[in-house]
Amino acid sequence: MKPLSAANYKNEFTENFPGDDSGDLTPRQTPGKLYSKAIPTPVEKVTLLAWSNELAKELGIQKPDSEQDLNILGGNYVADAMKPYAACYAGHQFGNWAGQLGDGRAITLGEWQTPAGNTWELQLKGAGPTAYSRRADGRAVLRSSVREYLMSEAMHYLGVPTTRALSLVTTGDPVLRDMFYNGNAAYEAGAIVMRTAPSFLRFGNFELLNARKEHDLLRQLVTWTIDRYYPHLQGENRILDWFKEVVERTATLMVEWQRVGFVHGVMNTDNMSVLGLTIDYGPYSFVDNYDPDFTPNTTDLPGRRYAFGKQPGIAYWNLGCLAAALLPLAEKDKLLAVLETYKEVYWKKYYQMMGNKLGLDVVTNLDTDLITQFEQTLAKLQPDMTIFFQLLIEVPLYMRDEKQVADHFKESFYKELAEEESQQLYTLISNYLERLNRNTIKREVSQQLMRNANPRFILRNYLLHQAIEELERGENTLFTKLQEAIKEPYTSNYDEFFMKRPEWATQKAGCSMLSCSS
Ligand code: AMP
Ligand code: MG
């Protein structure tokens, strides 16, 4: 275990690519550059709110025990071995080309060398302006930092590919935010998350270089990405092979989000990791009631582009943008052929995943109808997704009548079922039980499959909201409890969290819908 101030960093990104090393933090375009040097802007007082022990252990990082190491977490101290920078990238936002964006409030300190022999970028989110802050302040507020810290760790424990979070500190500096975009700006507590991943490279890093017609740099970045993160790809078609693997990883990620009911909320191409990780936690949410049209992002309401059920299709669209960015490096037909593999990969993995959620021994073509029937019935009746699947694990193998079925699942519903709805549920469950009867695996094995695929605890928005309100008052009871609860989502003993979203949270801001203001 080494302290954060140790000389344990590589800086290969900045050493391999051209950057603007002036340190100038004035917002600007940086043609020909992949990054701009950005020293964090010091804050009033760094106070540690949370530290991820398990992650720190994995990365070989010692918990800060000196003022100096603590100050690193708030951007008040930069160790000699670090070369802090903000990456330059572009992206498509809500379907439109947005041009240069870049890390407006994220600063990578360096590439930390882990005991396993890898490197992980250590990045501060909210550490002050960079050349890419445009009109914004480069800061982050406590509520959005708590959300990123807890949720990225929660996703990790759910087994969903994600960036991680090592620490959460408050800065002692107030940050002005117009939370509802209605002209009522107010000061909130400032905070900084240290987040980490092997790489934060996004589709947008590649789109930027293509848009600027910097084809040599584009080739260099692709080659570097493959060498570093996809070293098993060695053949002469490695660019296409790489794109194929990005397609596969992205499809896997979408299946995983569908499995646990995660809605990202801002699937712009600048928020799409080239490693297939969940990245940039903003106005995300789990679905409570199963609603494919649900979007947690108030900015997304007009078109619901990023709604729960649309995510797999949007990922395909985003991969299309990445394919377009690679056109200078590979034949169009071949890129398109690889892009088209997305659908096949996605559906294959999707049905496999649903088979696990339903505890099926195998998923054959005959089962796809049943899976579709589940989707349609759930979308119509809108039970709480998490609770419904928990109740499904324990469903009696023989169900007498509609009433018995409705009673069994009662706890998961947000409303009384109409007669027709009870009937639909009964038909669904009858078909399901018939299928379970044909399972060639023991009931216990089937139930174990289901327990592994269906979380019992999810980090619901209203819980985060309550924890944040407490923290803003200086209490950390719920926050501390949630920090523990996220670690065992499949076997959770936290019965107090095993309940539907309460009625009061349905319309309350921050509990169901969120803005991008953070
Ligand atoms: P997002 O879609 O929220 O991940 O962010 C879109 C772009 O806005 C990225 O380039 C961010 O770095 C930038 N951005 C968001 N919030 C801020 C902020 N407070 N200060 C500077 N840049 C920001
Ligand atoms: Mg972003």
Side-chain angles (χ1 to χ4, degrees), residues 89 93 101-106 125 128-130 132-140 177 202 266 268 270-271 280 282-283 516 518:
Y89 52 81
Q93 298 189 316
L101 298 163
D103 287 330
R105 54 163 167 181
K125 186 165 175 180
T130 74
Y132 309 112
S133 296
R134 294 177 288 161
R135 282 183 302 278
D137 59 5
R139 292 298 182 190
R177 286 290 181 272
R202 301 132 195 276
V266 205
N268 294 331
D270 52 303
N271 291 336
D280 279 13
C516 285
S518 60

Side-chain angles (χ1 to χ4, degrees), residues 37 41 53 88 97 114 117 129 141 146 241 302 313 413 470:
K37 179 176 168 183
T41 305
N53 275 316
C88 189
W97 176 242
T114 70
V141 293
V146 169
D241 293 345
F413 284 103
E470 268 193 20

Side-chain angles (χ1 to χ4, degrees), residues 354-422:
M354 284 303 289
N356 290 337
K357 269 180 100 69
L358 298 176
L360 307 184
D361 48 355
V362 287
V363 180
T364 69
N365 284 343
L366 294 175
D367 295 319
T368 57
D369 281 351
L370 178 66
I371 290 171
T372 308
Q373 197 190 355
F374 260 98
E375 284 163 19
Q376 289 172 347
T377 310
L378 294 189
K380 181 126 197 302
L381 309 186
Q382 299 209 4
D384 187 272
M385 178 178 171
T386 302
I387 296 181
F388 181 87
F389 279 101
Q390 287 301 310
L391 296 174
L392 194 65
I393 299 173
E394 308 298 341
V395 73
L397 288 176
Y398 174 75
M399 290 286 231
R400 224 169 28 248
D401 53 19
E402 281 171 29
K403 185 172 177 313
Q404 196 191 354
V405 174
D407 282 349
H408 180 78
F409 290 100
K410 194 173 180 5
E411 208 188 329
S412 72
F413 284 103
Y414 284 91
K415 56 173 189 189
E416 283 286 328
L417 293 190
E419 202 178 305
E420 183 206 357
E421 291 172 327
S422 294

